[in-house]
């Protein structure tokens, strides 16, 4: 079928909207008419050729309505409202243990550029294949995704809001609720108050954590962080960070989360821990140098990397929607909509920080 899709080919700093051909879904796949798709920093990395073979149709926070299902699909049917999340195999040891974000085939399925069976569903008008991103490529009017990536959701919530639950918001909230699973009196510091960091803070509030400290360099973001759940806020540009954090938590925090990927910030996140505390790194970044004895071993500190909030999307995304309906997880305050034809404006707004979570909508 003919669709409109936004693709990157590595020759321009922006996405190009064009007509493309989308093949029919296979037995294990679902055809979705997209309603909206979130823009995430991972899309920027894909656009810039850092993760996925180009040319590629990006987009990995899709939400839409099922149009057709393959003969083996049992979890959704035409007309269902769905959110699209990351791709996973479903049969490796980690998937079977309930950790699909740690799937042994995660990188090939999400960044390898091909569908679950190793073939392409998307092609340009001249027949050239387009890489699939995160098993969905949802910067398009339609997408084909493996059943594992498709999450049925309630139809009484604005579907345009729900796409970011498939990655960025799931990542922040899931890190707290699924991976850390804190006690009510535990403490946490979140470095970076973008969509992922704010989602982590909203989750920390849900968990009843006693201190939820936001760290950023923008006062407007810190103000929103306090509105959404932060108990304290520190501007690391105008305050001495170590002194300010020690004044709040003299022994250090039980947990820290870094969403920035900035090496110096990651080290600050480790230094801010109490003995035995854990830092979870969520931001895409580069090399970080630690003194193994002084920074980690001497105080039994830990640093972990995590993707997708250690979530099972089919369970966790409906849970987040329930929290939203209860007024306990107001992630809609992060979102601003952009028409699909202005998708590149959404990328600009994300980069300059004027919008926390841009979402493109389709007619």
């Amino acid at each position: 079928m003919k669709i409109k899709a936004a693709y990157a080919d590595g020759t321009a700093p922006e996405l190009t909207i064009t007509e493309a051909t989308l093949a029919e879904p296979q037995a294990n796949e679902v055809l979705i008419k997209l309603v909206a798709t979130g823009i995430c920093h991972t899309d920027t990395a894909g656009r810039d050729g850092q993760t996925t073979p180009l040319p590629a149709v990006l987009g990995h926070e899709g939400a839409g309505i099922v149009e057709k299902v393959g003969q083996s699909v049992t979890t959704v049917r035409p007309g269902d409202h769905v959110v699209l999340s990351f791709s996973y195999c479903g049969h490796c040891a980690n998937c079977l243990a309930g950790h699909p974000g740690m799937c042994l085939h995660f990188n090939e399925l999400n960044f390898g550029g091909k569908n679950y069976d190793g073939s392409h569903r998307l092609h340009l008008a001249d027949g050239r294949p387009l890489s699939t991103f995160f098993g969905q490529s949802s910067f398009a009017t339609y997408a084909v995704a493996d059943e594992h990536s498709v999450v049925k959701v309630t139809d009484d919530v604005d579907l345009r809001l729900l796409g970011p639950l498939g990655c960025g918001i799931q990542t922040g909230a899931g890190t707290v609720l699924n991976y850390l699973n804190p006690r009510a009196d535990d403490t946490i510091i979140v470095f970076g108050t973008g969509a992922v960091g704010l989602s982590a803070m909203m989750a920390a509030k849900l968990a009843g954590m006693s201190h939820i400290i936001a760290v950023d360099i923008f006062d407007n973001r810190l103000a929103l962080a306090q509105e959404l759940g932060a108990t304290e806020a520190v501007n690391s540009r105008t305050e001495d960070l170590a002194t300010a954090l020690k004044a709040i938590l003299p022994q250090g925090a039980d947990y820290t989360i870094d969403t920035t990927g900035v090496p110096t910030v990651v080290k600050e996140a480790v230094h801010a821990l109490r003995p035995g505390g854990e830092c979870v790194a969520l931001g895409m970044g580069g090399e970080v140098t630690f003194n193994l004895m002084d920074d980690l071993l001497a105080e039994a500190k830990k640093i972990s990397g995590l993707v997708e909030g250690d979530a099972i999307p089919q369970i966790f995304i409906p849970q987040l929607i329930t929290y939203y309906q209860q007024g306990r997880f107001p992630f809609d305050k992060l979102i601003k909509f952009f028409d699909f034809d202005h998708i590149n404006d959404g990328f600009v707004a994300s980069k300059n920080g004027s919008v926390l979570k841009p979402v493109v909508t389709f007619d």
Side-chain angles (χ1 to χ4, degrees):
M1 64 184 295
K2 301 296 184 183
I3 67 170
K4 285 177 65 178
Y7 77 101
D9 63 5
T11 65
E14 297 184 335
L15 302 183
T16 300
I17 296 177
T18 189
E19 183 180 271
T21 301
L22 179 65
E24 289 290 304
Q26 300 298 305
N28 58 311
E29 293 176 336
V30 180
L31 173 67
I32 303 101
K33 177 179 173 61
L34 274 304
V35 170
T37 302
I39 294 175
C40 175
H41 179 66
T42 309
D43 293 307
T44 301
R47 180 199 65 188
D48 297 342
Q50 298 176 24
T51 58
T52 298
L54 299 178
V57 176
L58 303 172
H60 66 289
E61 294 183 343
I65 300 171
V66 175
E67 289 242 331
K68 185 184 293 187
V69 300
Q71 61 185 13
S72 300
V73 173
T74 61
T75 56
V76 294
R77 60 185 181 182
D80 284 346
H81 287 203
V82 294
V83 167
L84 304 182
S85 193
F86 61 93
S87 187
Y88 59 95
C89 76
H91 53 72
C92 72
N94 286 347
C95 285
L96 293 175
H99 303 286
M102 303 177 192
C103 174
L104 299 182
H105 306 283
F106 185 93
N107 286 322
E108 65 192 77
L109 291 175
N110 290 282
F111 302 117
K114 298 179 181 180
N115 281 61
Y116 189 86
D117 64 358
S119 63
H120 292 275
R121 299 287 172 274
L122 284 162
H123 293 81
L124 288 168
D126 61 8
R128 283 183 295 158
L130 288 161
S131 288
T132 299
F133 194 58
F134 268 75
Q136 58 178 272
S137 289
S138 52
F139 286 157
T141 50
Y142 289 83
V144 164
D146 183 84
E147 185 178 15
H148 288 139
S149 301
V150 182
V151 180
K152 183 179 178 180
V153 296
T154 182
D155 61 4
D156 58 355
V157 176
D158 185 351
L159 190 53
R160 298 177 306 157
L161 294 171
L162 302 185
L165 296 176
C167 185
I169 292 173
Q170 173 174 254
T171 294
T175 298
V176 174
L177 297 177
N178 299 324
Y179 179 73
L180 296 179
N181 193 22
R183 298 173 301 182
D185 59 346
D186 282 343
T187 59
I188 190 167
I189 306 170
V190 179
F191 292 78
T193 56
V196 174
L198 291 170
S199 298
M201 279 179 263
M202 287 188 283
K205 182 178 180 180
L206 275 169
M209 299 185 78
S210 60
H211 284 278
I212 306 165
I213 304 172
V215 177
D216 208 306
I217 60 175
F218 298 108
D219 286 332
N220 61 327
R221 288 194 176 198
L222 291 170
L224 180 59
Q226 290 185 288
E227 179 184 339
L228 295 178
T231 56
E232 294 92 5
V234 178
N235 187 319
S236 57
R237 175 176 286 171
T238 61
E239 301 179 63
D240 181 82
L241 181 59
T243 300
L245 294 177
K246 197 168 187 64
I248 302 168
L249 297 174
Q251 304 304 317
D254 296 297
Y255 303 107
T256 60
I257 292 176
D258 173 71
T259 69
T260 71
V262 177
T264 54
V265 178
V266 175
K267 293 190 72 170
E268 292 281 7
V270 170
H271 294 160
L273 291 168
R274 65 161 174 77
E278 181 172 4
C279 169
V280 185
L282 303 181
M284 297 178 66
E287 294 185 4
V288 183
T289 301
F290 290 106
N291 181 297
L292 185 60
M293 185 64 181
D294 294 344
D295 293 330
L296 297 172
L297 187 59
E299 294 188 329
K301 293 179 179 180
K302 297 174 284 293
I303 182 167
S304 304
L306 193 69
V307 296
E308 300 295 347
D310 197 21
I312 301 173
Q314 288 75 12
I315 296 174
F316 192 56
I317 289 173
Q319 288 177 342
L320 292 179
I321 293 172
T322 297
Y323 293 143
Y324 168 71
Q325 291 176 306
Q326 294 170 345
R328 301 167 64 200
F329 192 76
F331 70 93
D332 58 317
K333 295 185 178 182
L334 312 181
I335 290 173
K336 181 178 179 179
F337 296 115
F338 293 79
D339 184 80
F340 182 44
D341 290 335
H342 297 98
I343 186 171
N344 290 304
D345 293 339
F347 275 84
V348 171
S350 177
K351 182 177 181 179
N352 66 29
S354 61
V355 178
L356 291 167
K357 176 52 68 173
V359 172
V360 296
T361 58
F362 304 87
D363 294 333

